[in-house]
Amino acid sequence: MKDASPQITPETIYLKDYTAFGWQIEDVHLTFHLSPGATRVVSKIHFAPNPDAPEQEFFLHGEQLNLIRTAIDGEEVSPEVDAHGLHCKVPSGPFLWECEVEIAPDANTALEGLYMSGGMYCTQCEAEGFRKITYYPDRPDVMAVFTVRVEGDMPVLLSNGNLKDKGDGWAEWHDPWPKPAYLFALVAGDLINHPGAFKTMSGKDVELNIWVRPGDEGKCAFGMEALIASMTWDEEVYGREYDLDVFNIVAVDDFNMGAMENKGLNVFNSSCVLASPETSTDANFERIEAIIAHEYFHNWTGNRITCRDWFQLCLKEGLTVFRDGQFTSDLRSAPVKRIEDVITLRGRQFPEDQGPLAHPVRPESFQEINNFYTATVYEKGAEVIGMLKTLVGDVAYSKAVDLYFERHDGDAATIEDWIKVFEDSTGRDLTQFKRWYSQAGTPLVDVSEDWNDGTFTLTLKQHTPPSPGQDVKEPYVIPIAVGLIGPNGDEVLETQILELTEAEQSFSFDGLPTRPVASVNRGFSAPVVLSHDVDRAFLLAHDTDPFNRWDASQGLAKECLVAMIRDGAEPDPIWLDGLERVLRDSTLDPAYRSLMLDLPGASEIAQILADQGVTPDPEAIWAAGERLVLARAEGWKDLLPQLAKEAQVKGTYKPDAEQSGKRALGASAATLISRLDGGAAAQERFEGADNMTLQLSALANLIRVGKGDEALSKFYEQWKDDRLVMDKWFGLQIGASQPEAAIERAEALTQHADFDWTNPNRFRAVFGALAMHHAAFHHVSGRGYALLTDWLIKLDDKNPQTTARMCSAFQTWKRYDADRQALIKTQLERIMAKPNLSRDTSEMVSRILAS
């Protein structure tokens, strides 16, 4: 009864059609007889009718399974099997379902379900991977207690929950907490554990392990420290205690995502847990710390309380991203973290909101749920949580979240449940606020000012452009944080929250001696695009809000670059002088000053030009950026050695905020210095580097000035046996090269012996770097488009998830000139013409083409 269907016809699923599953599950017993090519999975499940569900046919999801046997209450049955699962007649009362299937983990290249990675068995079941393991109601609202027996010849056999018993060639695990199938996990392999321990606030001892391949055990210490810090923080800030006897993390090389929060057995992409000073950058360490925290925090916001259906994905992801952001802000620099988050939002989510892939934080429909693991669900979802906290205040937020845990522990919840606890605990009507979940697009907020005899008035107008399927948008509730600064630079009004609820509203401030300068949307209190004719140079010099001070500089940089591109203007000396004064202020956090040196992304400049009715030219954008970098280097040649000296770090390497900030500032200064000395200092830094942060930044500077070939060869010889460092080597030489050279390097690297295109990390290292190199990817020849398309067509048969996500590189195609649009359209049509195109990729490309 094997399903040999090459492709499942896409079906649109709608939120409005949600129906509860017709049966409840009392318990699940699974037995795995592991074999790479023929794993047998035996399931025993006690079903009982669900009194709260309408009458329906008994259906279990299942894909790519070889059905061996099924039985009900011990009697064999013959269900009807199709490409989606099986249908079967069942008793009207409780019954025992038994099923045996065979699957082939070594043939599973899609990396969902049970598959092999470097000889190790591992699983990825979110969102709908469990149906590739056995027949089951694979939906998040069906929760059950699992007992799992794993049999095989691997030394380590892991699953969810607590270890119940084990023997030679077998282990049995029991998870006492009901969970949906997407949280199921199994790992079996030749692994070594890095042990740890944690005592919870109630005095319970928890065993901690990070399991890795032999040879990686020296890269686990930081991950363990991050895990313990996360457990401590969640107790102290949210009052959430861990609830099992053991917490296991496993590092896996072949993984489509960053990590997965399976109950008690987190499976991590190796790049998101393994770290050492020699092989990992400061950014790697911070990312690992955040991802470990994110997956741990899911234990409550995602596991103990899960989502009723996949339309509620933002319920667990948005809240958990917000929580891990709080964690990083508390451990490191809150202003720097906020700026970094906004850079990510503007770089990834705003383009999503402005293009054919726009969708609400909670979508109304989908064909392939894997395509909705997006920046809108995660990053914008977190921004919505942040706005809610801003509106109700810190104390009320904590009270509401406590009520959420109390009321919905063990539930598969909805956005309505989440909003209701805030309404019940605060007495506020949040009906209008819910539009943040149902409407797509980024609101545009226009700010105008009026000054009249001591009264300063701000008038705010909000408008959200049309997006696919939503032409008209209703006004949002938008919390706008505002402060007022006097002409002498003193703050005359501390930050206040203005609640913009109408299409247009005015807010007045009385009794002011002189006209102030308004600092609007402080801390990026709302994810909006702000239009405000304000003296940004003044804000750069005097704003007490770190975010708005940085944003003022960014605004001046954008104006400068646009003027250079449109009008051939010279770099703005007023902005450069103001920025230099900030950079000379040694009382400021070095990480903050480093961020001040970063220029807006090329894609962001392209969107600004498009919004002004100017067709963006990627080559002109690149050239203007290069001119501006050189102008800053030449103008600050006396300042740069001072910055480099301040950034020197003495003593043993630590990936903490203090040292990382200094190294970031030093790297920013070194990048400018390399434009003046032709890479001489970069070569010296490369040769003397004792950590990956210094070595990689020096290598990047050598590549940028065209002198990186020898260093690249040395780097390769030094690190060719470290797969994660090699990912850096592949990506850096594309990302740091001149546009045409970047394409040539990308083409050459696809033929390199170490280019394992079936590994998601290696594929993303090459093509992610190419897609993010704006001028290279959009080269007038179309070579970048064609190269990516060639490999997407090849990858789709192996890994549809990674293929579909990489297709988003084309989402902004309509803002470019007619020739580039024609080139991109040809490539998109090539993808659509591929025989047996996956439903993941088909949906993604169809949406992009339909824009």
Side-chain angles (χ1 to χ4, degrees):
M1 297 184 182
K2 187 174 183 180
D3 169 26
S5 174
Q7 183 176 6
I8 297 175
T9 303
E11 176 188 1
T12 301
I13 310 298
Y14 295 93
L15 171 61
K16 63 181 177 61
D17 292 337
Y18 170 81
T19 302
F21 184 57
W23 289 262
Q24 297 171 336
I25 297 180
E26 296 176 6
D27 56 64
V28 177
H29 287 255
L30 300 176
T31 300
F32 287 80
H33 306 279
L34 296 177
S35 173
T39 290
R40 291 289 180 103
V41 184
V42 179
S43 59
K44 295 182 179 181
I45 307 169
H46 284 96
F47 286 98
N50 182 358
D52 298 324
E55 185 176 345
Q56 58 195 263
E57 182 183 19
F58 184 75
F59 171 77
L60 301 180
H61 297 100
E63 295 177 9
Q64 302 170 21
L65 306 174
N66 186 6
L67 180 59
I68 306 299
R69 172 183 174 271
T70 54
I72 293 177
D73 292 332
E75 296 291 329
E76 291 201 12
V77 295
S78 298
E80 179 184 341
V81 179
D82 61 27
H84 300 274
L86 63 76
H87 305 256
C88 189
K89 291 183 179 180
V90 298
S92 58
F95 62 93
L96 173 64
W97 169 266
E98 296 178 82
C99 179
E100 183 173 359
V101 302
E102 184 177 275
I103 55 179
D106 61 355
N108 181 1
T109 61
L111 311 185
E112 56 180 352
L114 178 66
Y115 65 93
M116 305 294 293
S117 174
M120 173 172 57
Y121 295 88
C122 51
T123 56
Q124 170 56 27
C125 293
E126 187 177 356
E128 296 176 341
F130 193 77
R131 63 191 61 185
K132 295 183 177 181
I133 292 176
T134 191
Y135 289 101
Y136 193 82
D138 189 7
R139 41 189 292 169
D141 60 340
V142 177
M143 303 174 70
V145 173
F146 279 65
T147 300
V148 179
R149 181 182 175 93
V150 187
E151 299 178 357
D153 58 3
M154 293 295 185
V156 177
L157 306 170
L158 304 172
S159 191
N160 305 91
N162 298 318
L163 181 63
K164 188 176 180 181
D165 201 0
K166 66 177 181 178
D168 187 18
W170 65 275
E172 188 166 297
W173 294 81
H174 177 70
D175 185 357
W177 300 102
K179 66 173 179 287
Y182 83 84
L183 290 171
F184 171 80
L186 181 153
V187 173
D190 181 11
L191 301 169
I192 296 174
N193 73 310
H194 179 93
F198 184 78
K199 187 180 287 293
T200 70
M201 58 186 179
S202 66
K204 179 180 179 178
D205 291 319
V206 181
E207 174 190 337
L208 309 177
N209 294 294
I210 298 179
W211 297 91
V212 297
R213 301 191 322 179
D216 287 335
E217 57 268 29
K219 299 179 182 179
C220 300
F222 181 79
M224 184 60 72
E225 292 173 7
L227 175 58
I228 292 172
S230 303
M231 299 175 80
T232 303
W233 185 90
D234 211 19
E235 288 187 345
E236 293 175 348
V237 178
Y238 278 85
R240 298 298 101 195
E241 184 175 0
Y242 187 61
D243 51 10
L244 291 170
D245 298 334
V246 62
F247 188 91
N248 287 314
I249 289 175
V250 182
V252 176
D253 284 352
D254 300 283
F255 205 69
N256 283 329
M257 303 190 207
M260 179 61 207
E261 71 268 17
N262 319 294
K263 185 69 177 182
L265 178 55
N266 284 191
V267 180
F268 270 65
N269 188 313
S270 297
S271 66
C272 299
V273 66
L274 301 180
S276 72
E278 296 79 19
T279 62
S280 307
T281 65
D282 291 332
N284 293 148
F285 277 102
E286 183 174 346
R287 181 169 181 257
I288 287 168
E289 183 179 72
I291 292 176
I292 286 177
H294 180 95
E295 304 308 331
Y296 175 75
F297 297 157
H298 264 314
N299 186 62
W300 277 91
T301 52
N303 296 3
R304 287 284 287 262
I305 305 177
T306 192
C307 45
R308 186 196 70 179
D309 50 68
W310 290 120
F311 296 101
Q312 320 296 330
L313 180 60
C314 59
L315 177 64
K316 75 182 186 78
E317 294 300 347
L319 179 54
T320 306
V321 170
F322 178 73
R323 276 160 36 81
D324 81 53
Q326 289 180 292
F327 169 78
T328 300
S329 295
D330 286 350
L331 263 65
R332 294 176 179 268
S333 163
V336 168
K337 171 61 176 170
R338 188 62 187 136
I339 292 168
E340 290 173 344
D341 285 348
V342 174
I343 291 172
T344 298
L345 193 78
R346 287 174 173 171
R348 294 181 55 223
Q349 198 280 320
F350 276 20
E352 198 167 87
D353 255 354
Q354 295 160 349
L357 301 181
H359 62 86
V361 172
R362 181 172 70 176
E364 296 293 323
S365 67
F366 64 79
Q367 289 182 354
E368 176 50 65
I369 186 56
N370 289 326
N371 288 337
F372 280 102
Y373 283 75
T374 63
T376 297
V377 167
Y378 281 68
E379 277 72 34
K380 188 173 181 179
E383 293 293 323
V384 174
I385 303 295
M387 285 189 291
L388 187 55
K389 185 173 184 288
T390 298
L391 287 169
V392 304
D394 294 348
V395 174
Y397 171 81
S398 296
K399 181 181 177 182
V401 174
D402 286 344
L403 179 59
Y404 178 65
F405 291 130
E406 176 186 339
R407 182 179 290 178
H408 294 290
D409 185 13
D411 284 355
T414 65
I415 290 299
E416 284 72 21
D417 295 328
W418 168 251
I419 294 296
K420 188 70 163 57
V421 298
F422 279 84
E423 290 183 325
D424 290 349
S425 62
T426 66
R428 287 186 62 130
D429 181 353
L430 295 171
T431 302
Q432 184 181 2
F433 182 81
K434 277 182 61 180
R435 291 173 186 165
W436 282 104
Y437 287 104
S438 60
Q439 294 185 163
T442 303
L444 312 178
V445 176
D446 181 76
V447 182
S448 58
E449 302 177 358
D450 181 69
W451 169 254
N452 184 22
D453 193 22
T455 297
F456 182 69
T457 301
L458 287 174
T459 298
L460 309 180
K461 298 179 182 180
Q462 63 165 299
H463 167 70
T464 305
S467 54
Q470 292 184 333
D471 292 334
V472 179
K473 312 292 177 67
E474 297 297 322
Y476 291 93
V477 178
I478 305 179
I480 302 291
V482 172
L484 301 181
I485 304 170
N488 63 353
D490 292 339
E491 192 165 82
V492 296
L493 179 73
E494 293 184 354
T495 303
Q496 294 188 2
I497 304 300
L498 309 181
E499 292 190 23
L500 175 61
T501 59
E502 306 294 335
E504 179 177 342
Q505 274 176 268
S506 294
F507 303 87
S508 294
F509 307 89
D510 301 322
L512 299 173
T514 55
R515 178 170 184 152
V517 175
S519 172
V520 182
N521 207 29
R522 284 184 156 184
F524 203 68
S525 58
V528 302
V529 173
L530 201 67
S531 175
H532 183 199
D533 185 11
V534 67
D535 186 347
R536 291 187 174 87
F538 180 87
L539 293 178
L540 174 60
H542 300 292
D543 205 327
T544 58
D545 180 73
F547 174 83
N548 268 16
R549 193 178 192 186
W550 169 85
D551 202 37
S553 180
Q554 287 288 293
L556 291 168
K558 293 170 191 175
E559 291 174 359
C560 175
L561 284 166
V562 168
M564 292 172 69
I565 295 163
R566 292 189 61 170
D567 310 320
E570 292 299 314
D572 180 6
I574 295 177
W575 166 54
L576 293 178
D577 288 346
L579 183 55
E580 181 178 348
R581 286 192 293 273
V582 173
L583 295 173
R584 288 186 181 277
D585 186 352
S586 60
T587 65
L588 294 174
D589 181 358
Y592 182 75
R593 286 189 283 166
S594 175
L595 284 173
M596 280 286 189
L597 280 166
D598 290 345
L599 292 176
S603 184
E604 190 174 2
I605 299 299
Q607 187 61 49
I608 293 170
L609 290 167
D611 290 341
Q612 294 179 358
V614 178
T615 301
D617 180 347
E619 294 175 15
I621 294 172
W622 169 269
E626 290 295 286
R627 283 175 53 208
L628 186 52
V629 168
L630 183 58
R632 298 200 303 177
E634 291 174 341
W636 297 339
K637 59 185 177 182
D638 295 331
L639 167 65
L640 296 176
Q642 174 189 328
L643 294 180
K645 184 177 180 180
E646 284 185 43
Q648 291 178 354
V649 176
K650 298 180 181 179
T652 304
Y653 174 93
K654 295 179 182 179
D656 58 15
E658 181 181 358
Q659 283 198 14
S660 297
K662 287 184 176 181
R663 281 188 289 269
L665 181 60
S668 297
T671 296
L672 295 175
I673 290 171
S674 67
R675 301 302 176 97
L676 301 176
D677 69 1
Q683 184 65 45
E684 184 177 343
R685 282 165 60 90
F686 178 80
E687 297 293 346
D690 62 355
N691 62 74
M692 182 55 64
T693 301
L694 295 180
Q695 188 178 25
L696 206 67
S697 64
L699 178 58
N701 286 332
L702 289 171
I703 296 170
R704 289 188 185 105
V705 297
K707 296 182 179 179
D709 288 347
E710 182 180 349
L712 279 166
S713 296
K714 288 183 178 180
F715 190 92
Y716 177 82
E717 288 302 318
Q718 181 181 2
W719 297 113
K720 61 184 178 182
D721 295 326
D722 190 303
R723 60 206 183 279
L724 298 180
V725 178
M726 278 294 92
D727 289 335
K728 297 177 174 64
W729 181 82
F730 272 87
L732 184 68
Q733 56 190 300
I734 298 170
S737 292
Q738 300 290 319
E740 192 144 354
I743 300 174
E744 293 171 356
R745 285 187 183 272
E747 291 172 337
L749 286 170
T750 62
Q751 306 305 312
H752 195 281
D754 293 332
F755 178 62
D756 178 4
W757 59 275
T758 64
N759 177 265
N761 288 351
R762 191 58 48 87
F763 191 91
R764 287 188 289 254
V766 172
F767 292 107
L770 178 61
M772 288 188 291
H773 194 314
H774 186 253
F777 183 60
H778 293 287
H779 191 271
V780 68
S781 66
R783 289 166 62 191
Y785 308 145
L787 181 63
L788 176 59
T789 300
D790 289 343
W791 284 92
L792 291 177
I793 290 172
K794 186 175 182 178
L795 184 66
D796 186 68
D797 288 329
K798 296 282 188 180
N799 189 330
Q801 281 192 37
T802 299
T803 305
R805 287 172 186 154
M806 289 299 301
C807 287
S808 63
F810 294 114
Q811 68 178 317
T812 58
W813 69 296
K814 284 295 185 73
R815 71 186 178 195
Y816 297 101
D817 57 85
D819 289 343
R820 285 184 171 89
Q821 286 189 35
L823 290 167
I824 295 174
K825 185 177 181 182
T826 297
Q827 302 307 325
L828 292 171
E829 289 174 344
R830 279 182 62 207
I831 296 173
M832 289 300 295
K834 174 191 174 293
N836 297 323
L837 185 67
S838 71
R839 62 189 182 190
D840 305 62
T841 306
S842 175
E843 181 190 23
M844 187 69 76
V845 177
S846 296
R847 290 165 62 196
I848 295 172
L849 275 170
S851 63

